[in-house]
Amino acid sequence: MSTTQSERLRELLEPLVTSQGLDLEEIAVDSVGRKRVLRVVVDSDTGADLDQIADVSRALSAKLDESDAMGAGEYTLEVGTPGAERLLKEHRHYVRAVDRLVKFQLTEGGGELVARILKVDDEGLDLEVPGVKGRKATARRLAFSDVDRARVQVEFSRKDKNEEEA
């Protein structure tokens, strides 16, 4: 049974990341010139702060040093969190994106939709589609099966909930 290096690394590192209260979101090994870079992306329902990232980075580094998972040769370990415009792949990603604006690519030529996630359940999403040109926002239900891709959008001018209620 042949497994890729990424799969072997995931098997080695995921229990350690989980023990730190985080989810292992992504592992990638890239070559940058003559150097290799191991990128590990972690997250949790409440996000990950710098102290957690530093702790998990030290733990992963120690685990990698005692194994031969990266083989011989130098490499750089980079541990971080998903970017601001993260791609939503897992159910937990959608749950973490509640109240965020998301750009959806719909299946079967359904086009594109930008909407705020209000609620997530096992079948799909309750959305608020922003109004255009002074119109009110509308509610929409979207099944997961209708979503081809979804990516969180960065908002620069959104009012904080506390500001709206004041």
Side-chain angles (χ1 to χ4, degrees), residues 14 17-24 42-44 47-48 52-53 56:
E14 192 160 31
V17 171
T18 303
S19 74
Q20 302 271 332
L22 300 169
D23 295 317
L24 179 58
V42 298
D43 202 6
S44 76
Q52 287 176 299
I53 298 295
V56 79

Side-chain angles (χ1 to χ4, degrees), residues 23-160:
D23 295 317
L24 179 58
E25 297 292 352
E26 187 178 325
I27 291 180
V29 180
D30 299 313
S31 294
V32 180
R34 293 182 176 207
K35 288 187 139 186
R36 293 178 303 150
V37 178
L38 170 58
R39 290 186 175 88
V40 178
V41 178
V42 298
D43 202 6
S44 76
D45 290 343
T46 58
D49 64 29
L50 289 175
D51 290 335
Q52 287 176 299
I53 298 295
D55 290 345
V56 79
S57 181
R58 282 190 289 275
L60 294 177
S61 181
K63 186 71 167 180
L64 289 164
D65 287 348
E66 69 186 36
S67 78
D68 66 346
M70 286 298 292
E74 291 183 27
Y75 68 91
T76 301
L77 172 63
E78 293 180 359
V79 180
T81 58
E85 291 187 345
R86 77 170 304 159
L87 192 61
L88 305 177
K89 297 179 182 178
E90 306 283 333
H91 186 271
R92 70 177 179 264
H93 298 162
Y94 288 95
V95 171
R96 291 173 185 163
V98 168
D99 291 329
R100 302 285 309 269
L101 197 63
V102 175
K103 184 178 195 176
F104 297 93
Q105 294 290 328
L106 304 178
T107 57
E108 299 179 23
E112 203 172 85
L113 172 67
V114 176
R116 187 168 315 283
I117 298 176
L118 300 177
K119 184 180 169 196
V120 180
D121 59 36
D122 292 340
E123 288 79 41
L125 312 158
D126 288 338
L127 306 174
E128 178 185 73
V129 181
V132 180
K133 296 183 181 177
R135 294 187 180 153
K136 287 194 172 234
T138 57
R140 178 167 177 181
R141 177 76 180 165
L142 187 63
F144 285 119
S145 60
D146 293 333
V147 177
D148 186 39
R149 288 176 48 115
R151 184 178 298 276
V152 172
Q153 300 297 289
V154 175
E155 295 181 85
F156 293 106
S157 62
R158 181 170 185 219
K159 290 183 181 177
D160 188 330

